[in-house]
Every structure is written in structure tokens, then in C-alpha cells.
Amino acid sequence: MLDLGEIRKNIDGIDRQLVSLFEERMRLTSQVAEYKIETGKKVLDPERERQKLEAIKSLVEKEDNKHPIADLFSQIMANSRKGQYMLLEKMGQTLREPYEAVDEIKKEGAKVVYQGVAGAYAYAAMLDYFGEDVDNFNVPTWKDAMEAVKEGKADYAVLPIENSTTGSITAVYDLLQEYNNYIVAEVYVKVEHVLMGLKGTDLSKVTTVYSHAQGLTQCESFLESHKDWQQISQPNTAVAAKKIFEDKDNSHVAIASKEAAKLYGLEILKTDIADEANNTTRFVIVSKTRTFVKNAKKTSIVFECVNEPGSLYNLLSHIIYNGLNMTKIESRPIEGRQWEFRFFVDIEGNINDQRVMNALRGIEEESRSIRLLGNY
Amino acid sequence: MLDLGEIRKNIDGIDRQLVSLFEERMRLTSQVAEYKIETGKKVLDPERERQKLEAIKSLVEKEDNKHPIADLFSQIMANSRKGQYMLLEKMGQTLREPYEAVDEIKKEGAKVVYQGVAGAYAYAAMLDYFGEDVDNFNVPTWKDAMEAVKEGKADYAVLPIENSTTGSITAVYDLLQEYNNYIVAEVYVKVEHVLMGLKGTDLSKVTTVYSHAQGLTQCESFLESHKDWQQISQPNTAVAAKKIFEDKDNSHVAIASKEAAKLYGLEILKTDIADEANNTTRFVIVSKTRTFVKNAKKTSIVFECVNEPGSLYNLLSHIIYNGLNMTKIESRPIEGRQWEFRFFVDIEGNINDQRVMNALRGIEEESRSIRLLGNY
């Protein structure tokens, strides 16, 4: 029988030697970093790293150990690069663009755009963030809202980005990539779908249900018991309610918010029809200017990996190494490239936080591209 | 001025000592693994690892080095666990369920279900994989197709999972999670959307366009120039074409495949209307039985992380450490848990490949749950 205590004591002895060698190695690599900064050389030198790994493998005696030890040295070199990025940031050699830090986002006198009509969930999100008296207008599509911000017709746009039941709203992610606008805040709105129709609607005579495609998906179980109803998707849930009000056809019903039913004088035929009782949509407030609140807690970025095995993992390592929590990762196809992806990542932290700076610096150096989407 | 050559020579000297210490450490940890296997203890012991990291930190002299060195030791211990999982796999202590390995998927006499109607892209995918003479039937929803396979009414279902322009079809990912069916093959179908209507349709008099929601999204730029058209989404593109044929209203048009236009005797009004010329949909062939082809090249899994910072990164490390390429990662909300996610990952490799086995074993041990979705 093996003596576990004895083995662990031997491991502890080895670890003491490893720690002291690591410290000496770090002292030396920080000298390399200084040299690179003085001479303006790039931190990442893939050819030198490849050669180093080959040299390491030739030193390993046991064949089975070659791969795990080469892997450890990849990690030692990656950590060494991270240390060098940190040094560059400390010395002020930052690649980041400046931004304006404010105590709070200016709401007074702001003009706000949202997609849809009054009574839509985006409308509720807007009132929640900007207050009841906000100067606002609406547009037919999310793209129109982004365009209004870009052209200065609105100071802010309110866009849904994620629902707790149905997941990411990928079209909005694509618009964040397409436009150079920034996320400056987020709002969570509880979604409570109800079924509505004209006063006196007989459920057994209904032929058609209108809602937003997401609304139909979120009430899938309820709609399974009404398979004979034709499902027609509308630009948003409030438009669906408005349609019932305008068409005056009592064989048509809509799935939308209680507020929409009230707004269009419709009768609520059934409540609690969503598959999940706790259904929340996260909305983002988007602006053209790089103005972020000083106490921002979340950083959103989008990046593209170089097309190599393990490159996504390598980029994520900058986030983890800096002790940051990643709250979201979303992949979207890159237009014009078949089966290549860009990644949208949310990190807990302020861009002024040293750890976030270091992570962004590392990703910036080792990705094909990175863009800051917001800090809020 | 620093002498780069001299510094690098010193680093090389340290690395020689590190390699030999790593080899000795690995010899000792493989003894720990043997002990754990003999005594039936779990490989991952979070409390012991936490204590070890505290001990390491107290050995580090320079304050700034504490975090990077503790991080390296986390990686050394993670690598050591991976070595132990490998040993467990080699000794036959595998947690994997058995499966039937075949030379090829049996197509003769197979009954196949697809969602939609004849002429839909899923129909084309089915004919492509199973041949023109396949015994088949169709159902209204993807869920119905999954259900038909579960109940044995069909041997295989054909389901779209991803489009090169619009990205993942998340509803199908959710169904893969919901049902215990397996992916046994995949087929790529080129999507060529055309605009169609009744013979003699005048484009200037069109009021309404029918298609699948994805079809409408994929032709967004074209539809931007027809903002006055009402967009109505249908269960799939072929149903949209069928509707034009049945309604006999020449103010209505549909976006669907050339095959659908032919099937319903409609006139092609405009070709090349999709935003991206290279638009391909990936379909999966789903079965109830764990029967995989011997030369399968792709492994699909779904797993849930424990809710801790860095746990996704840790699970992905098993894939990378084993030298495997990850071709896809998709996150979806976990029902009943707000803002928690499960991850669908595709890996290049056969589940019989030692590297894939080791990666799955590691994820199995360190995730909340993992399920094999297919090998094809």
C-alpha cells in the first residue's frame, strides 16, 4: 500500500523549489519586457514560443510527459505575456481610446427612441429608466433605432438584448457590431404576457393569434393546446394588441402586456400563459458618445479570434487570469466568412479597474479585433 | 542596455530545472492517482486544492508574484487531475454508456420525419441524405418531429440546427436538450431564396410577403426596399409558397426555394434576394438509438457549469488540453434558473479517440451535468 502522507510531503518539497524557480523566472522575464518596451517590440512572438516549446519537449525524458509539460510551459509563457501587458498598461502605453466618466447618465432633456409602439415592453423599459416625462419617439425596427442614435435624431435608444427564457436577441447583438454606438446602461423588465381580445371574445371561436415571434415562443405550452389557431408574428407585442383593436374581428386575439390591453381597451381573456413564471427581459440603453458612469460594474466587448484551434480559449484566459467573472458569452456568424464566429462577452468590472484593463489589453494584442461595446 | 541573449540563457537554465521537477512531480502524482483508484476516492478534492494554493502563496516572497504563481499552480493541479482521468479511462473505469458502432447509418427501409411540407429545405436535406425513394412523412413543428422519433413512429428526424448567415437555430438546441435523442449524421444544404408569386404578379401591387421568419431575416436588405409590404411569417418557407398557390391573391408573394416554386407552379419574380450569396444551413439527422458510425469525426455534447467564476473556462480547458479543436459553442438559458446557462459544444474527434474520452471524462467529473448528444 502506498503512503499518501509520504508522497504528499515529497510533492510539497518539489513545490517549494518550483515556487523559487518561478520567482526567479519572473524576475528575468520582466527584464525581457523592459527590453521589449524600450525597443518597441511586440510582446507576443509566436515563432520564439514555438521554438521554446520544441526545446522543452526535447528535455523531457518520459514520452508520456512531453505533452503535459509542453502544455504547462505554454501556460507559463501565456502568464509571462500577461505580466508584460500589465507592465505596458502601468507605463501608460495603453491602446485604449479615452472616454468621458460621469457620475450619472444625463436624463434631463434627453430625446429617446424605442422600437415598437406605446405599450410595448421597450416602452416600459424606457419609462422605467428615463421616467414618465421623457421626450420620446418610436420607430418600426431595431435598426431604425440604432440609425436614429447614429444620426443624432435621438440621444439614446432602448433595445432588448436578452430574455431569461428565450435567450439572446441575436439581431440586436448584430446591430451592436454594425453600429459604433455604446451601451451606457441596462434595465430589467419583467415580462407578463396575457391573452387579450375584443370585449366578449369567445375562446372557442378564435382562429388567429397575433404577437411578437418571441411572445409566441414564450407561450409555447399554452399555444400547444390551441393548435388550430393560426400564429401570426408582428413587429412587437403592442402592435399585435393594436391590430386586434383596429381589425374589430372577435375571432382574433393577441398575446401582449397588461399595459397594452389597457391602452387599446381590450379584454384580458387569460393571464399567466407564459411557459416560465419568472420571465425577464434585459434592455440596453445605447448612445453615440463614449460616456460611462464612474461606478460602472459591467464591461461588454466583442472580439474575433484568429482562426486557430484553441484561440477562443486563449482569449478567455485573459479574463480568467485577471480574476474576472464572465457573465455572458454569445457567438454570432461573421458575415462573408462561412462558419467563423465573433464573440460577445460580458465581464463583471469597470474599465478603469486594473484587472479589466489588463484583460482587455491581452485580448487586444492576441485577437484579430476587439471593440469595447460599453461600460455600465 | 539589457543583454537579451544573456537573459534568455538564464531563462533556459531555469526551464531545464523546471522540466526535471515537473517530471518528478508527475511521477509522484501518478502514485496519488493509483492510491485514489485503489481506495475509490474522487479525483477532484476542492478543499485540498484550496489549502495547497494558500500554502503556495505563503512561500512566494514578492507580493506581486503571489497571484501569477498561485495561478500557475492551479494549472499544474488541473493538469494533474487530467492525467488522473486519463489513468482512470485506461483502467476501464469509465462512466460512459456503451453504444453501437456501425460502418454506416442504415438507410434502407428507414422511416424519416421532417418538419414542414414537400419543397422545404428540410425536405431537400432529407432527400440529399436518404435518397429520393425514402419512406417519409412531415409534421407541423420541430417538436413534433422529435416526438415522432421518441415514440418510434419515425427512425430518424431531419432538423435544421445552424445557418451560416443567421446563426444557430436555438429552438432545435433546446429540443436536443429536452429529448434523449442522438445526432447520428449531419447534412449541409445551400439555401437559395427566390421571390415567387402567381403567374403575372405585378411587383408594384404587392402588399404582403410570406416566408419563414429566418427567410425574412436572411433577405432583410431586399425587404428594406419594400417597406410597405406586410411581412407574415409561416412555419416554413414551403408553407409560404403553398399559401400563395392556395390563396390565389396576386398581391401576395413568398420567399422560398426554387423547388417550392416549381412544386406549386409559381412564377419566380426575382432571384438572388438573400443578403449573403453563400447561405448554407446545417441539418442534423436525429435517432433514438445510440448508433454511431465508426469513422465519426465530430462529437457534440451539452453541459451545465457549476455556478462559480471561471467554471466554464475550466471545463473548456479539458477540450484544449487534450489537443482538440472546438468548432462551436452555444449558450442557452436553463429553464427555471434566471441567467444561468447550459453550453452546447462541438468537438472535432471520435468518442473512441483517447483524447475525446479524456476530455469528456474530465468535463463529466467537474461539471454539474454532461450529456453526449451525438457522434457523427
Side-chain angles (χ1 to χ4, degrees):
Chain A
M1 189 71 182
L2 293 158
D3 181 346
L4 191 62
E6 189 63 31
I7 303 170
R8 286 193 163 158
K9 219 163 78 184
N10 289 336
I11 292 176
D12 290 345
I14 287 175
D15 289 349
R16 265 191 298 276
Q17 295 178 65
L18 284 174
V19 167
S20 118
L21 284 169
F22 282 149
E23 287 211 272
E24 176 59 12
R25 196 182 196 281
M26 288 167 84
R27 197 182 61 77
L28 292 167
T29 52
S30 77
Q31 290 182 357
V32 176
E34 275 175 51
Y35 174 86
K36 282 189 177 173
I37 290 168
E38 276 174 25
T39 53
K41 286 210 171 125
K42 277 207 69 136
V43 170
L44 176 61
D45 182 349
E47 182 51 27
R48 158 97 190 149
E49 293 204 356
R50 206 192 50 73
Q51 285 170 3
K52 182 86 212 174
L53 288 179
E54 284 311 309
I56 292 297
K57 276 188 195 162
S58 71
L59 290 172
V60 177
E61 285 179 13
K62 198 173 158 201
E63 189 60 31
D64 280 359
N65 288 347
K66 281 191 194 298
H67 175 66
I69 289 180
D71 192 66
L72 270 175
F73 270 89
S74 287
Q75 291 169 344
I76 290 171
M77 288 190 286
N79 285 8
S80 160
R81 286 201 302 277
K82 282 160 191 153
Q84 295 180 45
Y85 296 140
M86 236 178 250
L87 204 62
L88 283 167
E89 282 290 328
K90 271 189 194 152
M91 293 176 73
Q93 292 201 4
T94 172
L95 304 179
R96 282 172 304 114
E97 290 169 64
Y99 68 97
E100 190 193 354
V102 293
D103 286 323
E104 51 186 54
I105 294 298
K106 192 171 165 270
K107 296 174 184 176
E108 271 167 50
K111 191 148 194 167
V112 183
V113 63
Y114 67 97
Q115 179 268 341
V117 295
Y121 291 106
Y123 175 79
M126 177 185 68
L127 296 190
D128 188 19
Y129 186 75
F130 290 98
E132 300 277 336
D133 299 329
V134 62
D135 180 11
N136 71 87
F137 66 103
N138 57 50
V139 289
T141 69
W142 292 323
K143 195 180 168 77
D144 293 334
M146 275 297 206
E147 197 68 32
V149 168
K150 183 190 168 190
E151 290 176 358
K153 288 176 187 159
D155 300 307
Y156 304 104
V158 180
L159 297 166
I161 192 152
E162 190 179 10
N163 176 274
S164 61
T165 309
T166 55
S168 297
I169 296 153
T170 51
V172 173
Y173 276 95
D174 291 345
L175 288 169
L176 285 170
Q177 162 65 26
E178 189 179 339
Y179 286 82
N180 276 316
N181 295 328
Y182 296 94
I183 303 171
V184 296
E186 64 180 356
V187 192
Y188 290 81
V189 172
K190 189 143 194 241
V191 174
E192 285 172 287
H193 290 313
V194 299
L195 188 74
M196 61 195 68
L198 297 172
K199 290 217 158 62
T201 295
D202 179 352
L203 269 190
S204 69
K205 288 180 182 142
V206 166
T207 60
T208 308
V209 57
Y210 291 90
S211 189
H212 185 264
Q214 293 255 355
L216 296 171
T217 310
Q218 286 159 10
C219 299
E220 205 179 359
S221 302
F222 168 72
L223 291 172
E224 283 275 315
S225 56
H226 294 284
K227 279 201 173 178
D228 51 321
W229 293 3
Q230 194 193 1
Q231 297 177 19
I232 300 185
S233 61
Q234 293 291 314
N236 69 52
T237 55
V239 169
K242 194 176 171 204
K243 192 157 170 57
I244 304 303
F245 164 74
E246 286 172 349
D247 289 1
K248 309 249 178 291
D249 180 339
N250 63 12
S251 73
H252 291 184
V253 292
I255 292 174
S257 68
K258 278 178 188 165
E259 289 73 22
K262 196 177 153 197
L263 201 63
Y264 297 109
L266 300 174
E267 188 179 327
I268 293 173
L269 306 169
K270 201 164 179 354
T271 57
D272 295 325
I273 56 171
D275 294 356
E276 296 234 2
N278 282 320
N279 186 351
T280 305
T281 298
R282 182 163 72 94
F283 287 84
V284 289
I285 314 292
V286 164
S287 155
K288 195 169 66 174
T289 58
R290 286 172 73 89
T291 305
F292 305 128
V293 289
K294 283 177 188 156
N295 69 347
K297 285 177 182 62
K298 196 188 261 187
T299 300
S300 294
I301 55 172
V302 55
F303 59 79
E304 295 180 14
C305 302
V306 293
N307 198 11
E308 277 167 21
S311 62
L312 170 63
Y313 175 81
N314 174 47
L315 294 179
L316 297 182
S317 76
H318 291 281
I319 297 167
I320 308 306
Y321 174 80
N322 285 291
L324 297 167
N325 194 18
M326 185 170 66
T327 56
K328 174 91 191 168
I329 177 166
E330 185 63 42
S331 65
R332 294 290 304 149
I334 301 178
E335 55 289 347
R337 293 174 192 259
Q338 290 247 61
W339 313 115
E340 289 190 32
F341 301 90
R342 64 170 59 91
F343 295 88
F344 293 82
V345 169
D346 288 347
I347 303 166
E348 280 176 6
N350 189 298
I351 45 170
N352 236 357
D353 173 337
Q354 193 64 46
R355 298 170 309 153
V356 176
M357 272 188 203
N358 295 338
L360 298 192
R361 175 70 186 227
I363 296 172
E364 186 163 10
E365 295 276 348
E366 298 178 11
S367 63
R368 189 189 282 151
S369 70
I370 179 179
R371 198 162 75 77
L372 177 71
L373 293 177
N375 193 214
Y376 48 100
Chain B
M1 189 72 185
L2 294 158
D3 181 346
L4 191 63
E6 189 63 29
I7 303 169
R8 286 192 162 158
K9 219 162 79 183
N10 289 337
I11 292 176
D12 290 345
I14 287 175
D15 289 350
R16 265 190 298 275
Q17 295 177 67
L18 285 174
V19 167
S20 116
L21 285 168
F22 282 149
E23 286 211 272
E24 177 57 11
R25 197 182 197 281
M26 289 168 83
R27 197 182 62 75
L28 292 167
T29 53
S30 77
Q31 290 181 357
V32 175
E34 274 175 50
Y35 174 86
K36 282 188 176 173
I37 291 168
E38 275 174 24
T39 54
K41 285 208 172 130
K42 277 210 68 141
V43 169
L44 176 62
D45 182 350
E47 182 51 27
R48 158 97 190 149
E49 293 204 355
R50 206 192 49 73
Q51 285 170 2
K52 182 83 213 177
L53 288 179
E54 284 312 309
I56 292 297
K57 276 187 195 163
S58 71
L59 290 172
V60 177
E61 287 179 13
K62 197 174 158 199
E63 190 59 32
D64 280 0
N65 289 347
K66 280 193 195 296
H67 175 66
I69 289 179
D71 192 67
L72 270 175
F73 271 89
S74 288
Q75 291 169 343
I76 290 170
M77 288 190 286
N79 284 7
S80 159
R81 286 201 302 277
K82 282 160 193 155
Q84 295 179 46
Y85 296 140
M86 236 179 248
L87 205 62
L88 282 167
E89 282 289 329
K90 271 189 193 152
M91 294 176 73
Q93 292 201 6
T94 172
L95 304 179
R96 282 172 305 114
E97 291 169 63
Y99 68 97
E100 190 193 353
V102 294
D103 286 322
E104 52 186 54
I105 294 298
K106 191 170 165 271
K107 297 174 184 175
E108 271 167 50
K111 193 149 191 167
V112 183
V113 63
Y114 67 97
Q115 179 268 342
V117 295
Y121 291 106
Y123 175 79
M126 177 185 67
L127 296 190
D128 188 21
Y129 186 75
F130 290 98
E132 301 277 335
D133 298 330
V134 62
D135 180 12
N136 71 87
F137 66 104
N138 58 51
V139 289
T141 69
W142 292 322
K143 195 180 169 76
D144 293 335
M146 275 297 205
E147 198 68 34
V149 167
K150 184 190 168 189
E151 290 176 357
K153 288 176 188 160
D155 300 307
Y156 303 105
V158 180
L159 296 166
I161 192 152
E162 191 181 7
N163 176 273
S164 61
T165 308
T166 56
S168 297
I169 296 152
T170 51
V172 172
Y173 276 95
D174 291 345
L175 288 169
L176 285 171
Q177 162 65 24
E178 189 179 341
Y179 287 83
N180 277 316
N181 295 327
Y182 297 94
I183 303 171
V184 296
E186 64 181 354
V187 192
Y188 290 81
V189 172
K190 188 142 195 241
V191 174
E192 287 173 285
H193 290 312
V194 299
L195 189 74
M196 62 194 68
L198 297 173
K199 290 221 157 58
T201 294
D202 179 354
L203 269 190
S204 69
K205 288 180 182 143
V206 166
T207 60
T208 309
V209 56
Y210 291 90
S211 189
H212 185 265
Q214 292 255 355
L216 296 170
T217 309
Q218 286 158 9
C219 300
E220 206 179 358
S221 302
F222 169 72
L223 292 171
E224 282 276 317
S225 56
H226 295 284
K227 280 201 173 180
D228 51 321
W229 294 3
Q230 195 193 1
Q231 297 176 20
I232 300 185
S233 60
Q234 294 291 313
N236 67 54
T237 54
V239 169
K242 194 177 170 204
K243 193 157 169 56
I244 304 304
F245 165 73
E246 285 171 350
D247 290 0
K248 308 251 176 291
D249 181 338
N250 63 13
S251 73
H252 291 184
V253 292
I255 291 173
S257 68
K258 279 180 189 165
E259 290 72 23
K262 196 176 152 198
L263 201 62
Y264 296 108
L266 300 173
E267 187 179 328
I268 293 174
L269 306 169
K270 202 164 176 359
T271 58
D272 295 326
I273 56 171
D275 294 356
E276 296 235 3
N278 281 322
N279 186 352
T280 305
T281 299
R282 183 163 71 94
F283 287 85
V284 289
I285 313 293
V286 164
S287 155
K288 196 169 63 173
T289 58
R290 285 173 73 89
T291 304
F292 304 129
V293 289
K294 283 177 188 155
N295 69 347
K297 287 177 181 63
K298 196 188 262 187
T299 300
S300 294
I301 54 172
V302 55
F303 59 80
E304 294 180 16
C305 302
V306 293
N307 199 11
E308 277 167 21
S311 62
L312 169 63
Y313 176 80
N314 174 46
L315 294 178
L316 297 183
S317 76
H318 291 282
I319 296 168
I320 308 306
Y321 174 80
N322 285 291
L324 297 167
N325 194 17
M326 184 170 67
T327 55
K328 174 89 190 168
I329 178 166
E330 186 63 41
S331 65
R332 294 291 303 150
I334 300 177
E335 55 289 347
R337 293 173 190 260
Q338 290 246 64
W339 314 116
E340 289 190 32
F341 301 90
R342 63 170 60 92
F343 295 89
F344 294 82
V345 169
D346 288 347
I347 303 165
E348 281 176 6
N350 189 299
I351 45 171
N352 236 357
D353 174 337
Q354 192 64 45
R355 299 170 308 155
V356 176
M357 273 189 203
N358 295 338
L360 297 192
R361 174 70 185 228
I363 297 171
E364 188 163 8
E365 294 276 347
E366 298 179 10
S367 63
R368 187 190 283 150
S369 70
I370 178 178
R371 199 163 74 77
L372 178 70
L373 293 177
N375 193 215
Y376 48 99

